[in-house]
Amino acid sequence: MTDKLAHAEYGDQYAKAIISRMKEYFYQHPEIIVIDPLDNIRILINRYKSYEILQEQLQLDGVFTPRFVEIKSKNAIENISLLKMAGIKFPFLCKPLVAQGSNDAHKMMVIFNEGGVKDCQPPCVAQQFVNHNAILYKIYIVGENFHIVERPSFKNFYEEDCTALNTIFFSSHDICKSDSRSKWSILTEEDIPLTVKPKHEILEKIVKRVTELFGLLLVGVDVVIENHTGKYAIIDVNMFPGYDSYPNFFEQLISCIKKLSIENRDLQQHSKIYTLKKCLSDDLDSGFESDEKKKYSTKNK
């Protein structure tokens, strides 16, 4: 369904019709438990929009989202100017604007110099690369619970790499696989001591804030820890990530659904009580005057 949302977002009329019918059905059947509202999921389809929300509203000490800018043109000179205005330095990551809906959403690149800017494939988002000792922390969230998985990522890149290396084309699915053996994930001996272990309490705050910001219960967050500052960088937020490595996933999912069911039932009961009170009030006003109303009416005759 996330694929259909992505296609609908970018003009597919058939997908739009499906999403429209689903929304109408949910509206007509409020008893249905919707774990994550479609409108909330839709925000994560556009990487630029999700990064904007993080940048403007994250507000957590020691946590940030790397600088980014949307690239809409193939004009390398214009794009170099955009990058400079956004304060993005080399190297940077170039990611498709659309974060879901096709395999292309995971085709990315690391660009090291002005000569590589021509490789950008708009519409896309340029995101500042953060040295993080080749460790990516993937946080899988189920309601109030979460599970952290450590995955391989890109090694550190330095100034000399920006002159020596050409653009690296890669799939985020491949480079971050648990069994990945990419040469780009191998650290030098000098870099190994730079590794910083994550603090659970900070990751817990990230989980709480991200679920609040996006209004989602089933969501994934990709986090790296910047070497020289120890700050936590949120580099992506993903709708309904793969939960293969999540222990007791279905138990926690069922627990989450039960909680939503209780909340939904209470909401409907409250709505029924409110409707009943309003109907009674309308009936009284339309035909039956209270004693106080009669007294007031008599005094003014």
Side-chain angles (χ1 to χ4, degrees):
M1 187 47 62
T2 52
D3 291 353
K4 287 288 185 290
L5 269 172
H7 295 155
E9 184 73 3
Y10 291 92
D12 185 313
Q13 294 303 314
Y14 177 67
K16 277 185 177 181
I18 291 174
I19 298 302
S20 178
R21 287 199 296 271
M22 282 189 68
K23 285 184 176 181
E24 181 62 25
Y25 187 81
F26 291 154
Y27 178 77
Q28 291 177 357
H29 297 273
E31 73 279 4
I32 291 177
I33 298 167
V34 178
I35 296 176
D36 286 329
L38 296 178
D39 286 339
N40 295 12
I41 294 172
R42 188 167 52 85
I43 295 169
L44 291 183
I45 290 170
N46 185 308
R47 277 195 172 94
Y48 181 79
K49 287 181 181 177
S50 65
Y51 294 166
E52 258 193 334
I53 289 171
L54 289 170
Q55 184 186 59
E56 293 171 4
Q57 301 179 48
L58 188 60
Q59 297 173 346
L60 285 176
D61 289 339
V63 184
F64 70 105
T65 191
R67 290 180 178 180
F68 62 94
V69 69
E70 184 177 2
I71 292 178
K72 303 176 182 179
S73 163
K74 284 193 173 185
N75 187 312
I77 295 172
E78 284 182 15
N79 293 337
I80 289 168
S81 178
L82 269 177
L83 292 163
K84 287 179 179 176
M85 285 191 290
I88 295 174
K89 299 177 181 178
F90 296 104
F92 66 85
L93 291 161
C94 190
K95 304 179 179 182
L97 182 68
V98 182
Q100 189 79 27
S102 72
N103 289 331
D104 288 347
H106 306 286
K107 291 180 179 177
M108 305 180 185
M109 55 195 83
V110 184
I111 295 176
F112 292 93
N113 47 58
E114 290 188 357
V117 174
K118 68 181 185 305
D119 295 323
C120 292
Q121 297 295 316
C124 56
V125 181
Q127 183 187 62
Q128 183 67 64
F129 183 85
V130 173
N131 276 341
H132 54 280
N133 254 35
I135 300 174
L136 170 69
Y137 297 100
K138 295 189 77 69
I139 308 175
Y140 298 92
I141 302 170
V142 182
E144 296 174 351
N145 302 298
F146 64 94
H147 178 65
I148 304 160
V149 175
E150 186 178 307
R151 290 282 177 82
S153 182
F154 276 103
K155 67 176 187 175
N156 305 321
F157 292 117
Y158 298 102
E159 193 173 338
E160 56 269 26
D161 294 314
C162 292
T163 54
L165 294 175
N166 294 320
T167 300
I168 300 172
F169 298 86
F170 69 98
S171 167
S172 57
H173 278 170
D174 294 337
I175 196 79
C176 299
K177 278 184 179 177
S178 56
D179 58 352
S180 174
R181 295 291 181 268
S182 171
K183 67 177 182 178
W184 300 115
S185 299
I186 300 171
L187 292 174
T188 63
E189 288 186 13
E190 293 80 7
D191 280 346
I192 291 172
L194 297 174
T195 301
V196 179
K197 287 296 180 184
K199 294 181 180 178
H200 187 272
E201 59 270 24
I202 295 179
L203 296 178
E204 198 169 26
K205 287 178 182 177
I206 289 172
V207 167
K208 187 173 185 296
R209 190 64 183 135
V210 166
T211 52
E212 286 173 351
L213 284 178
F214 294 99
L216 297 170
L217 297 177
L218 299 177
V219 64
V221 188
D222 291 347
V223 176
V224 298
I225 302 177
E226 190 174 35
N227 284 350
H228 65 283
T229 66
K231 290 183 176 181
Y232 292 63
I234 298 176
I235 59 171
D236 260 316
V237 180
N238 310 298
M239 64 191 90
F240 197 77
Y243 284 94
D244 294 346
S245 59
Y246 196 110
N248 304 316
F249 168 67
F250 286 105
E251 289 178 21
Q252 295 200 4
L253 177 61
I254 289 167
S255 175
C256 185
I257 292 171
K258 283 180 178 177
K259 185 179 178 184
L260 280 175
S261 177
I262 292 168
E263 290 173 356
N264 195 42
R265 184 192 63 201
D266 292 345
L267 186 65
Q268 287 192 56
Q269 285 178 348
H270 177 77
S271 178
K272 285 177 182 177
I273 291 168
Y274 175 79
T275 303
L276 179 61
K277 283 182 177 178
K278 189 175 186 309
C279 288
L280 288 171
S281 175
D282 289 345
D283 286 344
L284 287 169
D285 287 343
S286 62
F288 301 98
E289 289 185 316
S290 67
D291 290 341
E292 289 299 319
K293 279 186 177 180
K294 286 178 180 177
K295 285 178 186 177
Y296 182 80
S297 177
T298 304
K299 285 179 183 178
N300 286 278
K301 281 182 179 178

